[in-house]
Amino acid sequence: MKRTLGTCYYPEHWPEEIWEADARRMAEAGLTWIRIGEFAWSRLEPRPGDLQFDWLDRAIETLGQAGLKVVLGTPTATPPRWMIDRHPDMLAVDASGHPRKFGSRRHYCFSHEGYKQESDRIVKLIAGRYGNNPHVAAWQTDNEYGCHDTILSYSDAARDAFRRWLKDRYGSIEALNRAWGNVFWSMDYASFDEIDLPNLTVTEPNPSHTLAFRRFSSDQVVVFNKRQVDIIRAHSDAPISHNYMGRVTDFDHFKVGDDLDIATWDSYPLGFLGDRVGADDEAKRAFMRQGDPDFQAFHHDLYRAVGRGRWWVMEQQPGPVNWAPHNPAPLPGMMRLWAWEAYAHGAEAVCYFRWRQAPFAQEQMHAGMLRPDNADAPALIEARRVADELRNAPDVSAPQAPVALVFDYDADFAWTTQPHGAELSYFQLVFDTYKALRKLGVSVDIVRGETRDFSGYRIVAAPGLIYMPQDLKQVLADADALVVLGPRTAARNADMVIPVPLPPDVPGLEVTVARVESVRPDMPMPMTGGGAFAGYREELETAADVVLELEDGQPAVVRQEHLTYVGGWGDATALQRIYQPLCEQAGIATLELSGGIRCRDTGGLRIWTNYGAEAAETPAGRIEAAGVLFEKL
């Protein structure tokens, strides 16, 4: 696999007389890919039907003549102002009933048919014009679905589409009433036309209603994206991608990815540390200029799965950003480290956002590879170093890891619908498990909830699958791997109702969850021998062997044959006590990594990264602060 670098460029922001110099400078820096066009609709069509593609023709040609490859984005994340006049009801509406107005981006509702037709029209024009252009070597649909909380819309268009979706799913209103338990609080409906969206209710809406709306909203994204993909494919053979975000779980990325060739994501380690990583203040201080040691790696592995092995970083943080609670500069070396960490997890390309810092508008405080005065910024200096290293570095790949970690967006919808505790989230539960394995030096593959073939894996971890279909239960019961389940495994059926027999009801696992509780996060429930459940625990009735117990004598972790059930939310120590002996039993070598030291095994190579602010020792030798170390296996 040839590993490459790139950047994001906005020719419409800059005088045309500097495009050629920019392109030459990009090529000299060792860049390959240049993404353009994803926000350019108002310059492509300043007035309805007034198409002005000549400037984009020249920009693509200028980049191509410099030997660069173009990723061309569809501009549908930023419909122009005149579009609102044409379709005033196309705006998304928030849960409080307020329209998401024009003046930034992502101001459309996925359910609005008029806007979907406008999207089809502009994508068809662009694909038809550039589908055979030799310099357009890849495509991107839209931009960052879900960013700024833009999946759920409570518009009239969404309400009408939701009613149709429900009718297709349930067939009859009587079936829906039974499935949702609408006899409770006299919530029965006489027809689908009576069903509203689950907002502005006096108290919480029926969780079955809320979960259905989240599933519907996710499906709307899948349909919207597929319409663009189908149009592009009719005109181009180049691969198609979408750039996902970090910890955005309001739609099913796997289902969107089923229609794409490459998954990409936008990696902002310092920005994400501020408000998307569940770290305490001490950890945020320690990693303020580096980012969480595991957050980027988690998403690398996630999007490798979404892309079925093909994935990129489409936007890599190049310096301070403008949008986080605090916006520090990275430590020297971190932009190189982030790139090599991505390659260690199988990335084909790492593209820095953006080429030149904009001196205007919302992102003027967002660094680029160049300063606004065209001087080199630190990102360009570090990118040149990475480019030099890539010329002589051995190939790296991401062979199958020994551990599979299931991540299921539908489970996230269910946890978000009914977290049962203010601090509890499915994403954090899975991420905590991932962190525990990474601290043991274990490489992990993330797999989707629809996976049924776990061949080759020695451990399968599936925490928090609140709805688990019967066929998956049977597959895991029959698996050759060691399987770790819980908490909340199969706690609800497909319609968010408590099933009987009580959960988890897994063949071969004699465990029943008799009662659950969520407690204050500052009052953990300690385990005998170390570790604790924090925030959530289940009272287990079991004939299985007790592996770990709480100090109150209640079973915490039980095991029967190859099946392990975890009856609560384990802290870092508890998770280490669960997974270290399982790795030993499965024949997986472990390490004891601390601080910011992490590693990832690739084909014949172990790549070490140091997220710490100081140099440290590893089994492969000393590694500098914000450094990368390569060890042959």
Side-chain angles (χ1 to χ4, degrees):
M1 177 193 69
K2 181 175 176 58
R3 290 153 297 152
T4 53
L5 288 169
T7 193
C8 305
Y9 188 52
Y10 300 92
E12 68 271 26
H13 293 178
W14 313 111
E16 188 167 345
E17 54 264 27
I18 72 170
W19 291 357
E20 185 176 350
D22 278 344
R24 182 173 61 251
R25 202 168 173 186
M26 293 169 186
E28 289 171 352
L31 306 185
T32 298
W33 293 97
I34 313 298
R35 185 192 67 178
I36 66 174
E38 78 275 15
F39 298 133
W41 197 335
S42 68
R43 290 303 171 98
L44 295 171
E45 191 178 18
R47 289 163 295 279
D50 179 12
L51 301 174
Q52 299 187 14
F53 287 95
D54 289 354
W55 68 269
L56 185 57
D57 296 344
R58 295 191 297 273
I60 292 172
E61 183 64 20
T62 299
L63 294 167
Q65 287 300 318
L68 301 166
K69 298 180 180 180
V70 171
V71 181
L72 186 55
T74 64
T76 50
T78 52
R81 179 60 184 83
W82 56 258
M83 188 72 72
I84 312 304
D85 296 330
R86 178 178 281 190
H87 303 285
D89 59 344
M90 64 167 277
L91 297 172
V93 175
D94 69 17
S96 297
H98 301 132
R100 311 294 298 274
K101 296 195 296 183
F102 181 85
S104 59
R105 62 181 188 175
R106 300 219 51 78
H107 44 277
Y108 65 83
C109 174
F110 284 99
S111 298
H112 192 275
E113 187 57 37
Y115 182 65
K116 286 190 283 188
Q117 291 175 9
E118 298 280 8
S119 168
D120 293 347
R121 180 180 61 82
I122 193 67
V123 173
K124 188 175 297 184
L125 288 167
I126 293 171
R129 191 177 188 96
Y130 302 109
N132 292 318
N133 189 299
H135 305 312
V136 175
W139 296 84
Q140 175 184 294
T141 58
D142 204 270
N143 186 80
E144 294 180 345
Y145 293 141
C147 194
H148 321 302
D149 298 320
T150 51
I151 298 301
L152 303 183
S153 173
Y154 298 86
S155 68
D156 289 348
R159 178 202 60 205
D160 295 344
F162 182 48
R163 290 169 175 171
R164 293 191 294 271
W165 185 91
L166 291 172
K167 187 171 184 180
D168 288 342
R169 183 179 181 91
Y170 290 98
S172 71
I173 196 64
E174 292 79 14
L176 180 146
N177 283 327
R178 287 193 300 272
W180 289 9
N182 283 336
V183 65
F184 192 79
W185 285 354
S186 294
M187 294 183 295
D188 293 284
Y189 298 104
S191 75
F192 289 101
D193 290 339
E194 292 183 352
I195 301 175
D196 213 329
L197 300 178
N199 67 318
L200 301 177
T201 54
V202 174
T203 184
E204 72 269 20
N206 186 336
S208 301
H209 189 172
T210 299
L211 178 59
F213 179 62
R214 287 188 170 273
R215 288 170 172 163
F216 153 80
S217 299
S218 175
D219 286 353
Q220 295 297 92
V221 182
V222 176
V223 170
F224 181 86
N225 184 75
K226 189 175 187 304
R227 287 171 72 141
Q228 295 200 14
V229 170
D230 289 346
I231 292 168
I232 295 169
R233 289 208 196 284
H235 296 276
S236 175
D237 294 328
I240 307 171
S241 68
H242 178 76
N243 58 326
Y244 306 99
M245 277 291 282
R247 198 169 181 169
V248 169
T249 56
D250 292 334
F251 68 98
D252 193 323
H253 298 39
F254 286 109
K255 290 182 179 178
V256 169
D258 286 341
D259 296 315
L260 299 170
D261 303 296
I262 302 171
T264 78
W265 83 287
D266 297 347
S267 175
Y268 291 92
L270 307 190
F272 292 150
L273 181 67
D275 62 0
R276 301 191 191 186
V277 178
D280 59 27
D281 288 342
E282 181 180 356
K284 289 184 178 182
R285 286 192 294 270
F287 297 112
M288 180 183 76
R289 297 189 186 279
Q290 306 97 286
D292 182 88
D294 303 297
F295 193 81
Q296 287 65 244
F298 177 88
H299 286 84
H300 295 340
D301 288 335
L302 172 62
Y303 292 126
R304 187 176 67 253
V306 171
R308 301 178 302 285
R310 295 198 66 187
W311 74 277
W312 302 8
V313 175
M314 187 62 83
E315 296 182 17
Q316 179 61 66
Q317 181 167 351
V321 297
N322 62 297
W323 47 264
H326 307 95
N327 296 287
L331 281 183
M334 284 308 302
M335 287 166 286
R336 169 178 174 259
L337 182 154
W338 294 329
W340 273 110
E341 182 177 53
Y343 295 135
H345 290 257
E348 297 179 13
V350 174
C351 304
Y352 293 91
F353 182 89
R354 50 188 281 166
W355 174 242
R356 180 184 290 106
Q357 182 176 348
F360 45 75
Q362 283 93 328
E363 292 181 351
Q364 60 186 267
M365 298 298 290
H366 194 301
M369 301 184 81
L370 300 182
R371 300 185 329 200
D373 64 357
N374 285 336
D376 291 358
L380 183 57
I381 297 168
E382 293 195 26
R384 288 195 188 108
R385 181 180 177 186
V386 174
D388 288 340
E389 291 171 333
L390 287 174
R391 292 186 185 99
N392 301 310
D395 289 339
V396 294
S397 59
Q400 181 169 316
V403 176
L405 176 61
V406 178
F407 187 84
D408 182 54
Y409 286 92
D410 194 73
D412 189 272
F413 303 162
W415 277 76
T416 303
T417 296
Q418 194 178 70
H420 196 53
E423 300 82 11
L424 306 181
S425 78
Y426 173 74
F427 178 94
Q428 192 64 48
L429 177 68
V430 178
F431 183 51
D432 285 353
T433 302
Y434 182 85
K435 287 177 73 75
L437 290 161
R438 284 261 291 173
K439 288 180 180 179
L440 290 170
V442 176
S443 296
V444 177
D445 285 344
I446 293 177
V447 300
R448 65 193 295 175
E450 291 87 352
T451 302
R452 296 296 182 268
D453 183 1
F454 296 96
S455 301
Y457 291 110
R458 285 178 266 175
I459 294 176
V460 176
L465 285 181
I466 198 167
Y467 166 59
M468 181 177 283
Q470 195 62 39
D471 65 328
L472 178 55
K473 291 182 182 182
Q474 193 62 56
V475 165
L476 295 176
D478 296 338
D480 294 328
L482 302 178
V483 175
V484 186
L485 305 172
R488 296 193 87 176
T489 293
R492 298 292 181 271
N493 70 7
D495 291 298
M496 205 62 185
V497 173
I498 297 173
V500 177
L502 292 177
D505 189 33
V506 174
L509 182 62
E510 297 177 81
V511 174
T512 297
V513 176
R515 186 169 68 169
V516 304
E517 63 174 339
S518 61
V519 297
R520 293 174 55 92
D522 58 355
M523 297 184 69
M525 292 158 277
M527 292 180 180
T528 302
F533 281 160
Y536 181 84
R537 75 100 172 242
E538 300 170 339
E539 294 185 12
L540 306 181
E541 296 174 349
T542 182
D545 296 331
V546 177
V547 178
L548 298 174
E549 67 178 16
L550 300 173
E551 287 187 352
D552 64 8
Q554 292 293 315
V557 180
V558 300
R559 186 170 304 150
Q560 194 162 1
E561 300 295 337
H562 69 292
L563 300 172
T564 296
Y565 190 85
V566 182
W569 192 304
D571 64 8
T573 300
L575 289 169
Q576 183 179 28
R577 293 184 66 197
I578 292 166
Y579 282 99
Q580 198 283 328
L582 286 172
C583 287
E584 182 177 348
Q585 181 181 345
I588 302 171
T590 60
L591 302 165
E592 292 186 14
L593 304 181
S594 60
I597 300 296
R598 298 292 188 270
C599 63
R600 215 291 174 181
D601 289 350
T602 69
L605 195 68
R606 176 170 290 171
I607 298 181
W608 293 85
T609 51
N610 182 9
Y611 271 77
E614 297 180 357
E617 294 296 329
T618 75
R622 186 173 177 82
I623 184 170
E624 297 303 315
V628 181
L629 185 65
F630 303 94
E631 177 189 8
K632 289 186 178 180
L633 296 176

